[in-house]
């Protein structure tokens, strides 16, 4: 991930805080400074959050709630993409590339969040009134053999050669736009939460916000390229997966522009059709938490 210089500076600030707090054991210094020696770049390194001990419970809750909600949300994007690619009516070359990109890149982000959850389950060390909590692992791209799957370029056609986009193509673009807007709301809510201070998750959110904003713009262009009446194409509620349990942003089961959010990967295509929100305006989410 990007931002290693920022993380290194954050580690240094954390170590300074420990030093100012009074005598610190060698073990605590080793924890904070792990992998930070100049000229040494381990394959994997641990991020640690340093905070007042009294803030630990709230910080852990914010991080765990976010990881649980965003992980389930990402899993929903995978099943939405899988269903689209398996549908013979899915014909848009650009949207098919986008679906494969979503599956590949978000599987990696799920792996990152699973590792964050594992580190958050480890005990914190309390020294001089400060808590030192393992919060993430950096460097997972190499052992996971991850290389970013590109999104469709401007030359990738929306309409297939010798044909036109289908209603199913437009439904996928509209449904994934609703889904992406939920992720943006959740990421921004975590960033605004005073307890949401996990640096690694903050950097992950930068990626999520950047990537999914760009993908929404691409899907808006796809809908605009549909030769029929895109406004008349409705999105069955069953096409929007993984919106349950979104603790940050208040999305658990909320109505998503007419498409009910609580589908968690269900594939029932026979659900009643409901109108999707106008593409480009995003979904309207009720019950948004104030952080």
């Amino acid at each position: 991930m990007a931002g290693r210089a920022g993380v290194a500076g954050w580690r240094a600030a954390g170590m300074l805080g420990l030093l100012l707090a009074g005598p610190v054991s060698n073990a605590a210094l080793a924890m904070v400074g792990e992998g930070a020696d100049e000229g040494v770049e381990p394959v994997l390194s641990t991020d640690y959050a340093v905070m007042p001990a009294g803030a630990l419970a709230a910080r852990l809750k914010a991080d765990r709630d976010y990881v649980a909600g965003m992980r389930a949300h990402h899993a929903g994007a995978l099943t939405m993409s899988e269903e689209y690619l398996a549908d013979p009516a899915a014909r848009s070359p650009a949207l098919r590339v986008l679906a494969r990109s979503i599956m590949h890149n978000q599987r990696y982000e799920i792996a990152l969040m699973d590792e964050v959850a594992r580190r958050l389950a480890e005990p914190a060390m309390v020294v001089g009134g400060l808590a030192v909590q393992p919060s993430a692992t950096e460097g997972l791209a190499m052992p996971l053999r991850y290389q970013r799957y590109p999104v469709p370029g401007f030359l990738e056609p929306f309409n297939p050669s010798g044909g036109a986009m289908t209603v199913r193509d437009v439904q996928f673009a509209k449904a994934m736009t609703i889904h992406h807007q939920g992720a943006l709301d959740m990421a921004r809510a975590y960033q605004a939460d005073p307890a949401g201070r996990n640096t690694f998750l903050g950097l992950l959110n930068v990626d999520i916000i950047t990537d999914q904003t760009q993908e929404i713009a691409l899907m808006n262009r796809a809908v605009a390229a549909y030769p029929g009446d895109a406004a008349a194409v409705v999105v069955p509620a069953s096409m929007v997966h993984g919106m349950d349990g979104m603790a940050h942003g208040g999305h658990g089961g909320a109505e998503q522009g007419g498409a009910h959010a609580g589908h968690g990967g269900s594939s029932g295509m026979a659900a009643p059709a409901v109108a999707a929100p106008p593409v480009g305006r995003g979904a309207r989410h009720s019950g948004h938490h104030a952080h």
Side-chain angles (χ1 to χ4, degrees), residues 38-51:
E38 187 174 354
V40 177
E41 189 67 12
V43 174
L44 295 179
S45 61
T46 301
D47 281 355
Y48 294 91
V50 182
M51 70 202 80

Side-chain angles (χ1 to χ4, degrees), residues 10 14 71-72 74 87 94 108 122 140 150 163 169 186 189 222 227-228 243 255 262-264 276 279-280 287-288:
W10 169 80
R71 190 199 189 285
H74 272 37
D87 193 329
Y108 174 64
E122 296 176 7
L140 288 172
D169 294 325
M186 190 177 182
M243 303 294 279
E255 292 287 326
H263 303 289
V279 173
H288 199 88

Side-chain angles (χ1 to χ4, degrees), residues 10-210:
W10 169 80
R11 285 181 179 143
M15 182 177 291
L16 177 60
L18 281 176
L19 292 173
L20 293 176
V24 182
S25 69
N26 289 334
L29 287 175
M31 288 178 67
V32 175
E34 181 181 344
D37 292 343
E38 187 174 354
V40 177
E41 189 67 12
V43 174
L44 295 179
S45 61
T46 301
D47 281 355
Y48 294 91
V50 182
M51 70 202 80
L56 178 61
R59 293 272 293 269
L60 285 174
K61 184 180 187 307
D63 291 352
R64 288 168 176 163
D65 286 351
Y66 170 84
V67 168
M70 189 63 85
R71 190 199 189 285
H73 192 264
H74 272 37
L78 300 188
T79 56
M80 290 170 68
S81 298
E82 288 167 354
E83 288 181 1
Y84 172 70
L85 290 172
D87 193 329
R91 302 194 59 204
S92 170
L95 291 179
R96 291 183 66 86
V97 171
L98 176 62
R100 288 192 289 269
S101 172
I102 289 170
M103 291 171 62
H104 180 82
N105 296 329
Q106 293 201 20
R107 280 195 184 108
Y108 174 64
E109 291 178 350
I110 286 173
L112 296 182
M113 288 185 279
D114 285 346
E115 179 63 10
V116 169
R118 186 184 74 82
R119 302 315 299 261
L120 293 175
E122 296 176 7
M125 176 179 289
V126 178
V127 181
L130 294 179
V132 182
Q133 172 66 50
S135 58
T137 300
E138 290 204 52
L140 288 172
M142 184 180 297
L144 292 177
R145 299 182 178 277
Y146 171 73
Q147 288 188 329
R148 183 173 183 76
Y149 195 106
V151 297
F154 280 99
L155 298 180
E156 194 78 46
F158 291 115
N159 289 299
S161 177
M165 291 174 61
T166 66
V167 166
R168 183 66 178 93
D169 294 325
V170 177
Q171 287 175 327
F172 173 74
K174 285 188 172 186
M176 193 61 79
T177 295
I178 294 169
H179 194 269
H180 275 21
Q181 188 60 52
L184 296 183
D185 288 352
M186 190 177 182
R188 289 168 178 151
Y190 178 83
Q191 303 292 70
D193 187 345
R197 297 275 72 89
N198 186 308
T199 304
F200 188 89
L201 292 180
L203 292 173
L204 177 62
N205 272 338
V206 171
D207 288 344
I208 289 172
I209 291 169
T210 300

